[in-house]
């Protein structure tokens, strides 16, 4: 089925380099498939080194002109881009849904979420202050000013094809940087549509460049940026092993890095919690995007005395979730992104069963019955999970909620922190002393306290430990695209 849009020109199938829509230098293309059916519906350039270099040339050439614009001018561009994204919500949601598989209603939410970062950084652009420093010697004035780092390479994931790239590009442009971006192999079309809207909003040529590449060609494209000293910053959202690789490989030119990597979020329900609120929070955070987010709870800890009551309430809600094609208005859980994703979910569930878990609902692939492909997995609750299971150690990245029992606060804190990751953590309690103690002890960059929906453009998003470093969103988000320059003026006596 072709992708039907109100504005067909938003379906772009060429790289965007130096303000031009280009084929890959060698003409190579790769197919883009609908994750529901696995059927190819279009193709995009399969870029390689020459295309990556052309994008860097363009971004490098555009940098001086862009940084010299006033912050107000850059903000105005971002406001026009924001308005264009919002005005084209329906088409963008259709593109997201088609290439990524999330239900349309959720894709519309993602457009609003991504757009909120563009608006936020339009507002932040004009509030990027430096400091006048107390001069400790007579006749001197000392200042710290913020400057754009330079050309930024943004490498983005498939789970939020719009929001993740928007929250990298918007602060970069606000700070005065220019960008070369490579969207995930599975989801290039949303990024290219965003580039089209940026073009319509009047962004000067070369300030934003987007190149697509298949899984096979991605290493060559990205390596080019890692080695090129003109690229001053890499911002990446994706897996921890790839993040470590980027850190190692970019060391040769000592680039600034923002790495938003994997998580293994604990979600703790203490015995004094409001169980209905905890179920609501878990539904919102665990089943968002079919469980395919880095901040999805991966290990759900329930205190013994409320375990059975919580499990009953949760199973009732999870078994009522509607699984269906992304295009159906009433679908709540769409297909997983690809065969690898659904294979991993299945492997985790089988491994958990082999180690003593019980299926409370779900626990199987879904096929037929109005479902249009092989990548659906039933929303699942597993009881009696334990730390011998693979899902204790690794992100499942799917609609599986394993329940672990715990006895004391000390036990659960030890277990929750017993992971190399530290992106998000959640807990429910109504005891104010416990709240502050637990919030202080959880090793995590983002903490939801009696709240499952933590994402916001006004908040600093990012991890600790092997979940990475750098922050996206909030007033801190601009820092990642700036460096501080110290100016010292003498001879003023
Ligand atoms: C992610 O999954 O990486 C991001 C999720 C979010 O922005 O809430």
């Amino acid at each position: 089925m072709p992708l039907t849009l109100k504005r067909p020109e938003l379906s772009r199938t060429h790289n965007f380099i130096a303000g031009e829509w280009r084929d890959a230098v060698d003409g190579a293309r790769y197919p883009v498939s609908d994750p529901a059916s696995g059927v190819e519906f279009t193709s995009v350039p399969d870029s390689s080194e020459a295309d990556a270099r052309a994008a860097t040339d363009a971004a490098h050439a555009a940098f001086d002109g862009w940084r010299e614009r006033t912050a107000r001018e850059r903000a105005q561009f971002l406001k026009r881009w924001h308005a264009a994204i919002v005005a084209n919500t329906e088409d963008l949601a259709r593109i997201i849904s088609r290439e990524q598989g999330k239900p349309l209603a959720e894709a519309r939410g993602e457009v609003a979420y991504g757009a909120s970062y563009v608006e936020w950084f339009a507002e932040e652009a004009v509030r990027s202050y430096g400091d006048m420093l107390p001069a400790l010697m007579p006749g001197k004035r000392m200042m710290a000013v913020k400057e754009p780092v330079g050309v930024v390479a943004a490498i983005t994931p498939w789970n939020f094809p719009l929001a993740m790239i928007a929250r990298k590009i918007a602060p970069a442009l606000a700070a005065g940087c220019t960008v070369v971006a490579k969207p995930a192999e599975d989801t290039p079309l949303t990024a290219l549509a965003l580039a089209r809207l940026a073009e319509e909003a009047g962004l000067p040529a070369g300030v934003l460049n987007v190149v697509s590449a298949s899984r096979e060609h991605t290493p060559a494209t990205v390596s080019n940026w890692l080695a090129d000293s003109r690229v001053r910053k890499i911002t990446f959202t994706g897996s921890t092993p790839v993040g470590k690789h980027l850190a190692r490989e970019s060391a040769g030119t000592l680039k600034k890095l923002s790495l938003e990597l994997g998580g293994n979020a604990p979600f703790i329900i203490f015995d004094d919690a409001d169980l209905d609120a905890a179920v609501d929070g878990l539904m919102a955070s665990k089943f968002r995007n079919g469980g395919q987010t880095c901040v999805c709870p991966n290990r759900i800890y329930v205190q013994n005395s409320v375990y059975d009551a919580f499990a009953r309430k949760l199973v009732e809600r999870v078994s009522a979730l509607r699984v269906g094609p992304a295009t159906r208005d009433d679908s709540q859980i769409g297909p997983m992104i690809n065969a690898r994703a659904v294979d991993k979910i299945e492997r985790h569930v089988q491994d958990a069963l082999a180690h003593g878990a019980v299926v409370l609902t779900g626990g199987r692939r879904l096929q037929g019955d109005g479902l249009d492909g092989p990548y659906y997995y039933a929303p699942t609750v597993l009881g009696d999970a334990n730390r011998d299971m693979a899902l204790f150690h690794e992100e499942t990245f799917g609609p599986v909620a394993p329940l672990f029992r715990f006895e004391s606060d000390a036990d659960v804190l030890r277990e929750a922190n017993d992971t190399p990751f530290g992106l998000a953590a959640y807990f429910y309690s109504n005891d104010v002393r416990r709240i502050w103690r637990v919030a202080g002890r959880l090793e995590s960059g983002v903490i939801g306290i009696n709240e499952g929906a933590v994402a916001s453009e006004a908040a600093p998003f990012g991890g600790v430990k092997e979940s990475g470093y750098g922050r996206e969103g909030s007033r801190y988000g601009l820092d990642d695209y700036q460096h501080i320059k110290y100016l010292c003026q003498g001879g003023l006596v």
Side-chain angles (χ1 to χ4, degrees):
M1 225 211 305
L3 177 62
T4 317
L5 302 177
K6 288 189 205 155
R7 296 188 56 212
E9 65 274 23
L10 291 184
S11 172
R12 309 305 294 187
T13 53
H14 290 86
N15 286 336
F16 185 59
I17 298 176
E20 293 166 2
W21 294 94
R22 299 187 187 170
D23 274 317
V25 168
D26 63 3
R29 300 186 74 78
Y30 75 94
V32 183
S33 307
D34 179 334
S37 57
V39 173
E40 169 186 344
F41 65 94
T42 190
S43 68
V44 290
D46 198 358
S47 309
S48 52
E49 278 188 276
D51 307 288
R53 202 171 319 109
T56 310
D57 291 345
H60 185 64
F63 177 58
D64 280 342
W66 184 245
R67 70 179 299 190
E68 278 160 18
R69 300 234 174 186
T70 64
R72 174 70 71 203
E73 283 177 299
R74 293 198 297 269
Q76 275 160 351
F77 160 73
L78 287 168
K79 282 183 187 164
R80 287 196 301 275
W81 193 32
H82 171 256
I85 294 170
V86 172
N88 290 282
T89 293
E90 198 51 35
D91 277 348
L92 290 168
R94 280 180 190 281
I95 297 172
I96 295 172
S97 235
R98 192 61 190 284
E99 63 178 354
Q100 197 271 328
K102 70 180 59 168
L104 258 178
E106 215 175 332
R108 291 184 192 109
E110 181 181 340
V111 178
Y113 179 46
S116 74
Y117 284 94
V118 179
E119 185 175 39
W120 176 268
F121 284 108
E123 292 157 351
E124 283 298 295
V126 293
R127 295 192 178 82
S128 170
Y129 305 113
D131 276 316
M132 200 71 201
L133 310 171
L136 302 181
M137 276 107 19
K140 286 194 176 181
R141 290 289 183 276
M142 293 162 59
M143 286 150 277
V145 295
K146 292 187 181 165
E147 293 200 330
V149 289
V151 175
V152 172
I155 304 159
T156 58
W158 51 263
N159 59 346
F160 291 91
L162 191 146
M164 295 302 107
I165 199 160
R167 78 183 188 191
K168 295 182 188 308
I169 295 175
L173 299 189
C177 300
T178 54
V179 177
V180 291
K182 200 209 74 70
E185 307 73 61
D186 292 314
T187 55
L189 298 177
T190 309
L192 293 169
L194 280 181
R196 168 67 187 188
L197 293 175
E199 183 186 27
E200 289 178 8
L203 188 68
V207 173
L208 170 64
N209 307 275
V210 180
V211 296
S212 54
S214 67
R215 202 157 273 110
E216 291 69 38
H217 281 196
T218 289
T221 309
V222 172
S223 301
N224 191 280
W225 293 334
L226 294 174
D228 191 330
S229 59
R230 296 174 301 168
V231 175
R232 291 312 317 148
K233 152 118 195 164
I234 305 271
T235 171
F236 169 70
T237 297
S239 75
T240 294
V242 173
K244 288 179 179 176
H245 169 80
L246 297 179
R248 270 192 303 270
E249 297 299 312
S250 64
T253 51
L254 277 187
K255 296 185 200 310
K256 191 168 167 113
L257 288 176
S258 296
L259 300 174
E260 199 265 90
L261 309 177
N264 184 0
F267 188 108
I268 306 169
I269 299 106
F270 288 102
D271 54 7
D272 57 58
D274 174 339
L275 294 191
D276 292 318
V279 171
D280 285 346
L282 185 58
M283 295 302 292
S285 54
K286 174 70 244 185
F287 294 98
R288 178 173 170 229
N289 199 17
Q292 302 173 108
T293 87
C294 305
V295 289
C296 273
N298 201 51
R299 297 167 294 150
I300 295 112
Y301 291 100
V302 193
Q303 201 151 13
N304 248 329
S305 57
V306 293
Y307 181 96
D308 292 335
F310 181 82
R312 229 179 2 260
K313 286 172 188 282
L314 181 66
V315 166
E316 196 180 310
R317 293 281 295 279
V318 173
S319 49
L321 285 171
R322 287 183 301 276
V323 179
T327 43
R328 231 175 48 203
D329 261 338
D330 65 343
S331 296
Q332 292 170 297
I333 306 278
M336 299 296 106
I337 185 72
N338 53 33
R340 280 195 316 282
V342 82
D343 287 349
K344 181 176 187 190
I345 297 166
E346 189 156 61
R347 177 167 60 74
H348 272 195
V349 171
Q350 292 313 318
D351 170 79
L353 297 183
H355 287 89
V358 289
V359 174
L360 301 180
T361 184
R364 63 201 163 86
R365 285 176 188 253
L366 296 176
Q367 227 165 345
D369 206 16
L371 302 179
D372 49 351
Y375 305 147
Y376 289 92
Y377 201 89
T380 296
V381 181
L382 299 176
D384 296 333
N386 63 56
R387 52 176 300 130
D388 296 333
M389 300 171 179
L391 51 70
F392 175 89
H393 304 278
E394 295 168 35
E395 269 182 308
T396 303
F397 235 63
V400 177
L403 305 184
F404 296 72
R405 293 173 187 271
F406 74 92
E407 202 60 64
S408 71
D409 292 28
D411 288 347
V412 77
L413 278 168
R414 196 178 47 250
E415 290 285 300
N417 287 335
D418 188 11
T419 164
F421 302 103
L423 185 56
Y426 309 80
F427 66 94
Y428 277 69
S429 165
N430 280 319
D431 173 340
V432 72
R433 280 188 218 92
R434 184 181 243 169
I435 286 176
W436 286 105
R437 192 173 59 244
V438 173
R441 292 277 309 281
L442 282 171
E443 296 168 357
S444 180
V446 175
I447 299 196
I449 306 169
N450 294 331
E451 181 58 66
V454 289
S456 163
E457 73 278 19
F461 184 94
V464 298
K465 294 159 67 177
E466 294 187 24
S467 289
Y469 39 75
R471 290 295 177 265
E472 295 189 326
S474 82
R475 71 187 169 89
Y476 307 104
L478 218 47
D479 298 346
D480 277 53
Y481 298 90
Q482 295 174 317
H483 54 230
I484 293 176
K485 183 180 269 179
Y486 159 51
L487 308 179
C488 179
Q489 185 176 1
L492 297 174
V493 274

